[in-house]
Amino acid sequence: MLEIDNLVAGYGGVPVLRDINAKIAAGEIVGLLGANNAGKTTLINSLSGMVKPISGRILFLGEDISKLTPQARVELGIVQVPEGRLVFPEMSIRENLLLGGINAHARKHRPQQMEKVIGLFPRLGERLTQSAGSLSGGEQQMLAIGRGLMAEAKLLMLDEPSLGLSPLFVQYIFEIIDKLHADGLTILLVEQNLNLTLRHAERCYVLERGQVAVEGDAETVKNDPRTRSAYLGL
Amino acid sequence: MTELYQALAQGLLIGATYGLLALGMGLVYGVSGVVNFSHGDFISLGMFMCLALYSAFAMDPYVSIIITVPLMTAIGALVYIFLIRPMVGHQFLMVVQLTLGLSLVLQNGILMVFGGEPARTPSFVESKLIILGDVVLRVPHIVAFVVSFALAIGLYIMLRSTDFGRSIRAVHQNAHAAALMGINVGRVQVLTFALGIGILALAAALLLPGTPIQPTQGLRYTVITLLVVVLGGMTNFVGIMLGGLIIGIAEAFGTIYLDGPIGLLLPYIIFVAIMLFLPKGLTWSSAR
Ligand SMILES: Nc1ncnc2c1ncn2[C@@H]1O[C@H](COP(=O)(O)OP(=O)(O)O)[C@@H](O)[C@H]1O
Ligand SMILES: [Mg+2]
């Protein structure tokens, strides 16, 4: 479904990511691991079009999307649930969800899509008129995921969904991620939390200072000594 | 007592239009972080366009808006795309300087075309009055009040319940997240600026009947708008409309009760007094 081909990207012409090669097959759940500042968010933002590539290509469903705007990519179904959730705090849950489905492709199906999201997160359905800013961190994460689903994602990219959540909420969010995967959604799961991700992802990439240090199935990644050193920054 | 009612009524009526002027500025600030110091000169431009249309076709200002609103909206879009956008993201002061420069260009452009003599644009309602007890109300002021409030309510509904309005609020609250929703942030910024200038074209026609105009008046409108926007808390819808009414009333009281310069200073004195006690302006509730 997604193919990253020798991608170099960064800020102000200075590369952060160097020669990234990666693949995600349809229906797969892939983990993207790495220590703080390894470049995980930069990679996910390159896929979203928020960071422009310096060189290399990104193919989505066989098409080169590396020059497309963020809007065009959302319309194709490449949807990001950002780090820190970034819900619109002064808007209601309902308005946040409506904004999730504002792209030209998803706009027509918003009522049906909203029913699905509320089915998945009944807690959001109970407080549609409450402002997003008044929700707890865990509830905001539900909202951020729900908002992403409203966009009719084909590839859902979650940037550190467990960040700052209580263990109970982390467990709940990961159950939801498993459920979405079981329903056939393709997922890129960005996490710092190594063991948690290895339990839920089918395959993983470990980033170290902007490069892929280790890749493979969960077992391979777990047993590779370079994984540990990537985390410890050795 | 009559004078008091007269001042209150007059201030309220004109204050609604000040509120509308400030809503435009507040919206632009909210989505682009740009404070437009040529705001008042665009009002001038709108007024002088009405004057030109009157001179050429004897067109009433209320009719001229059919031409001035689309024209000024387009001018607003072009100004944003070619002048302001390249500066956004640089130093805030560079944008300020740019809009100040634009103010001088507009002012002198108008001066070159129309000359410096005060001019009037007649309107069919200009001299009509409505008398309520002892209070005399000028019909153009009533029209300005009603239309300004209707527009403000329209804007409010647009912001609350349309996709475009929600996009504007989303960009204001978190531009990065808005882009991730698939909102074209640049487009929202251009359209909001254009909308702000289009509103000024309308406000110009509302303020025009019976008011002598001259090319140098722009700064006065810019300053009044800034007072209202700051008083209202920059992006607070209700606060801004209320700020407009307060400044309008202060101005009316100043001109009716106090002589000369002190009277003209009253809005500023009231402004400073309110800001001393409420440094964040009138933002007790967030309407956005
Ligand atoms: N907006 C930015 N401008 C410049 N440098 C950035 C920006 N965002 C991140 N970086 C740099 O890029 C590197 C990777 O950061 P990031 O992608 O956020 O890592 P991670 O998500 O893995 O923690 C860091 O060195 C960080 O300082
Ligand atoms: Mg990150």
Side-chain angles (χ1 to χ4, degrees):
Chain A
M1 177 173 253
L2 184 86
E3 195 175 331
I4 304 170
D5 193 6
N6 281 317
L7 180 72
V8 179
Y11 305 92
V14 182
V16 169
L17 302 174
R18 282 162 297 152
D19 289 322
I20 303 283
N21 288 290
K23 267 188 191 156
I24 304 175
E28 217 178 5
I29 174 164
V30 172
L32 180 62
L33 290 159
N36 198 17
N37 279 343
K40 305 180 297 294
T41 298
T42 304
L43 180 53
I44 222 175
N45 274 330
S46 303
L47 300 179
S48 282
M50 302 298 292
V51 171
K52 300 279 167 279
I54 296 169
S55 66
R57 293 192 312 164
I58 301 166
L59 302 178
F60 184 69
L61 300 171
E63 237 182 291
D64 186 355
I65 58 158
S66 46
K67 301 219 160 44
L68 295 185
T69 61
Q71 302 86 259
R73 298 188 202 197
V74 172
E75 279 168 33
L76 286 176
I78 305 173
V79 177
Q80 179 187 151
V81 177
E83 183 178 342
R85 310 179 264 278
L86 310 187
V87 296
F88 300 108
E90 291 167 38
M91 287 197 242
S92 67
I93 290 179
R94 186 172 161 275
E95 286 180 303
N96 269 273
L97 292 176
L98 286 173
L99 277 164
I102 202 172
N103 75 76
H105 174 71
R107 193 176 280 189
K108 292 156 260 167
H109 317 127
R110 277 191 286 190
Q112 300 92 300
Q113 206 65 21
M114 184 147 353
E115 300 244 313
K116 277 196 214 166
V117 169
I118 291 172
L120 194 63
F121 298 111
R123 218 157 148 155
L124 296 181
E126 287 159 18
R127 40 191 96 173
L128 281 177
T129 55
Q130 198 174 321
S131 80
S134 69
L135 300 177
S136 74
E139 290 163 344
Q140 288 192 3
Q141 188 62 58
M142 292 182 205
L143 178 56
I145 294 174
R147 193 178 62 173
L149 294 172
M150 287 293 296
E152 304 200 329
K154 293 197 180 94
L155 169 64
L156 190 69
M157 309 186 292
L158 301 154
D159 196 349
E160 307 218 23
S162 72
L163 194 73
L165 301 192
S166 69
L168 216 63
F169 261 121
V170 172
Q171 197 192 336
Y172 175 74
I173 293 292
F174 273 79
E175 277 167 18
I176 293 285
I177 292 171
D178 285 343
K179 198 163 164 186
L180 292 171
H181 173 227
D183 287 345
L185 190 61
T186 312
I187 295 173
L188 177 62
L189 177 59
V190 174
E191 266 296 338
Q192 269 194 64
N193 189 327
L194 184 67
N195 293 322
L196 190 64
T197 309
L198 290 174
R199 261 186 276 136
H200 292 267
E202 294 165 320
R203 282 192 311 117
C204 288
Y205 292 87
V206 182
L207 278 187
E208 184 182 10
R209 274 175 265 133
Q211 283 177 303
V212 176
V214 189
E215 65 175 278
D217 57 36
E219 202 58 26
T220 315
V221 168
K222 193 177 193 167
N223 297 327
D224 194 314
R226 286 171 302 172
T227 301
R228 198 122 299 142
S229 75
Y231 263 83
L232 299 173
L234 297 174
Chain B
M1 248 355 226
T2 307
E3 266 190 342
L4 176 72
Y5 290 137
Q6 182 71 38
L8 261 177
Q10 202 172 309
L12 270 179
L13 294 184
I14 213 71
T17 309
Y18 290 168
L20 183 66
L21 296 178
L23 283 181
M25 185 182 269
L27 277 178
V28 168
Y29 176 76
V31 298
S32 326
V34 170
V35 176
N36 176 12
F37 282 87
S38 57
H39 198 79
D41 298 287
F42 278 104
I43 301 174
S44 273
L45 183 64
M47 290 179 166
F48 277 93
M49 279 181 182
C50 289
L51 173 63
L53 287 167
Y54 177 79
S55 311
F57 309 109
M59 207 181 260
D60 195 277
Y62 291 148
V63 180
S64 302
I65 55 170
I66 301 170
I67 296 168
T68 61
V69 171
L71 193 59
M72 295 248 308
T73 306
I75 292 174
L78 294 176
V79 163
Y80 191 84
I81 293 170
F82 291 108
L83 296 178
I84 296 180
R85 182 144 76 189
M87 293 291 168
V88 171
H90 295 274
Q91 291 262 6
F92 178 73
L93 278 179
M94 282 176 69
V95 182
V96 170
Q97 213 163 42
L98 176 83
T99 61
L100 278 173
L102 192 59
S103 158
L104 289 176
V105 170
L106 284 170
Q107 194 175 314
N108 287 299
I110 294 171
L111 193 64
M112 268 166 55
V113 176
F114 293 92
E117 291 295 307
R120 291 170 69 91
T121 312
S123 162
F124 74 101
V125 296
E126 183 181 336
S127 53
K128 294 215 165 62
L129 302 171
I130 286 180
I131 296 164
L132 287 175
D134 298 332
V135 179
V136 182
L137 300 175
R138 293 184 48 219
V139 169
H141 285 169
I142 296 174
V143 173
F145 178 82
V146 172
V147 175
S148 297
F149 254 98
L151 270 174
I153 292 167
L155 268 176
Y156 188 81
I157 292 172
M158 187 273 282
L159 285 172
R160 291 262 128 195
S161 53
T162 69
D163 275 329
F164 179 56
R166 275 190 286 265
S167 304
I168 290 179
R169 286 158 62 216
V171 172
H172 166 61
Q173 289 174 31
N174 194 321
H176 179 80
L180 292 179
M181 302 298 106
I183 292 170
N184 186 335
V185 174
R187 187 165 156 269
V188 169
Q189 288 171 335
V190 172
L191 290 177
T192 306
F193 193 85
L195 177 73
I197 301 292
I199 290 174
L200 293 187
L202 250 170
L206 294 176
L207 291 168
L208 191 55
T211 313
I213 53 173
Q214 55 199 98
T216 50
Q217 68 188 358
L219 185 61
R220 187 183 147 256
Y221 284 117
T222 301
V223 171
I224 286 182
T225 309
L226 277 171
L227 290 190
V228 175
V229 174
V230 174
L231 204 56
M234 297 312 281
T235 57
N236 180 307
F237 207 97
V238 180
I240 286 177
M241 279 315 277
L242 206 65
L245 299 182
I246 290 175
I247 295 296
I249 291 171
E251 197 185 57
F253 271 68
T255 40
I256 289 180
Y257 281 108
L258 302 166
D259 284 336
I262 295 286
L264 294 176
L265 275 177
L266 193 61
Y268 305 92
I269 296 168
I270 301 257
F271 170 77
V272 171
I274 293 180
M275 292 311 282
L276 277 178
F277 293 104
L278 297 169
K280 286 190 176 161
L282 309 164
T283 47
W284 68 90
S285 80
S286 130
R288 301 188 53 188

